[in-house]
Amino acid sequence: MAVDSYALITGASSGIGECFARALARLGHNLVLTARSEGKLLQMAADLVRERSIKVEVIATDLSVRDAAPQLAAILKERYLSISLLVNNAGFGARGEFWKLPLDRQMAMVRLNINALAELTYLLLPAMVENGEGAIINVSSTVSFQPTAYTTVYAATKAFVTSFSMGLAEEVRQHGIRVVTLCPGSTRTNFFEAGNYGVRNMPGGMQEPEEVVEEALRALDRGGGLVIPRFLNKSLIFLQRFGPRETVARCAAIIFRPRDIGNSR
């Protein structure tokens, strides 16, 4: 008996994750939606099932909790849900001085942004390798390309995501698996408010999450790879290569320094 395949989207209740869900639904993918907000997920699932001829499963979970990712993988197995596309989107950041931000929140950030992403990839990848096909989209950030003060832990977690994803892509290419490393810049979601980043005035304005998702899915169709939406973001990251790393870090610190923190020498 043929088993239906699904796209699993973490952090699916809002922002980029929600846009991935709606875009993949339009393309006819069956979906597994996961996030903490079960009510939002159930409403979205009902809407997508009504609008599209697809199947949608909801699994509410907090992936920042220890062992949540293996528990999610176990639920997928119990429900016989075969994952052909994994979208590791769940993540959060926090702005401020490292030693003043709550330690438990920062460690939850590490567990969500790094541990859960790596664990889900590890647990779901073998089936893709066995089938000789599959795809992974890991959502990183433009801050992954340089140390970034005042969001130090978040930037470091995203540096892991970018390095991990691009390395993994080379390992699994021979098995017919595509990997997209998605590194958006400032995007119009609730990320900045939730992480106390304040309003970001970016040249050309913030990206819309739909724009970010569209570029990622185009890259997936082309076989995967590194995706940095918008020419300005690509240019800034390219130019960083020509400056001393310490200078790049100091420039990033100036940009991200909260207004209530004095300049450092």
Side-chain angles (χ1 to χ4, degrees):
M1 182 176 67
V3 177
D4 291 330
S5 64
Y6 288 76
L8 169 63
I9 305 168
T10 70
S13 62
S14 64
I16 291 174
E18 180 181 354
C19 287
F20 266 117
R22 297 191 182 282
L24 290 170
R26 286 194 296 271
L27 295 173
H29 287 266
N30 297 318
L31 303 175
V32 178
L33 307 178
T34 185
R36 293 179 301 170
S37 306
E38 184 174 28
K40 290 182 180 179
L41 294 179
L42 290 172
Q43 183 59 59
M44 189 193 315
D47 293 342
L48 294 176
V49 168
R50 184 175 63 253
E51 296 166 3
R52 314 288 175 184
S53 299
I54 61 170
K55 298 178 181 179
V56 182
E57 296 276 342
V58 167
I59 304 174
T61 188
D62 182 354
L63 288 171
S64 70
V65 175
R66 195 181 306 275
D67 295 328
Q71 291 171 10
L72 173 58
I75 294 172
L76 295 172
K77 187 174 181 179
E78 290 171 2
R79 296 189 187 181
Y80 299 99
L81 298 173
S82 175
I83 305 301
S84 59
L85 169 59
L86 169 61
V87 182
N88 280 310
N89 166 73
F92 72 89
R95 183 187 185 203
E97 293 168 296
F98 166 71
W99 68 94
K100 293 182 180 179
L101 293 171
L103 179 61
D104 58 350
R105 179 168 172 78
Q106 295 191 83
M107 293 303 97
M109 189 192 309
V110 172
R111 287 193 297 271
L112 179 59
N113 296 7
I114 294 180
N115 294 21
L117 178 145
E119 288 171 345
L120 281 177
T121 302
Y122 182 88
L123 294 167
L124 299 180
L125 184 58
M128 297 183 189
V129 172
E130 184 177 350
N131 293 333
E133 62 180 2
I136 299 168
I137 300 175
N138 286 335
V139 180
S140 186
S141 168
T142 52
V143 301
S144 68
F145 294 97
Q146 71 282 320
T148 306
Y150 306 109
T151 185
T152 305
V153 172
Y154 174 74
T157 65
K158 291 305 184 180
F160 171 88
V161 174
T162 294
S163 180
F164 169 77
S165 303
M166 295 183 70
L168 182 68
E170 299 307 316
E171 292 186 25
V172 301
R173 189 189 309 279
Q174 61 182 319
H175 299 290
I177 298 166
R178 299 161 290 160
V179 178
V180 171
T181 306
L182 177 59
C183 297
S186 297
T187 305
R188 199 179 305 279
T189 67
N190 64 357
F191 173 87
F192 293 101
E193 180 181 353
N196 194 34
Y197 286 87
V199 177
R200 308 298 297 170
N201 294 318
M202 302 298 295
M206 283 191 174
Q207 301 169 96
E208 297 298 332
E210 292 83 0
E211 174 188 348
V212 172
V213 168
E214 183 179 345
E215 288 210 33
L217 294 180
R218 279 204 300 265
L220 188 64
D221 287 340
R222 296 194 299 266
L226 175 64
V227 177
I228 305 171
R230 290 201 171 180
F231 178 76
L232 176 62
N233 292 329
K234 293 182 178 70
S235 300
L236 291 174
I237 290 170
F238 177 76
L239 290 173
Q240 289 175 17
R241 302 177 184 180
F242 300 99
R245 194 161 174 80
E246 286 187 358
T247 301
V248 172
R250 287 180 180 177
C251 290
I254 293 171
I255 294 171
F256 279 86
R257 179 184 294 120
R259 293 179 180 178
D260 59 350
I261 296 177
N263 293 337
S264 60
R265 297 190 177 207

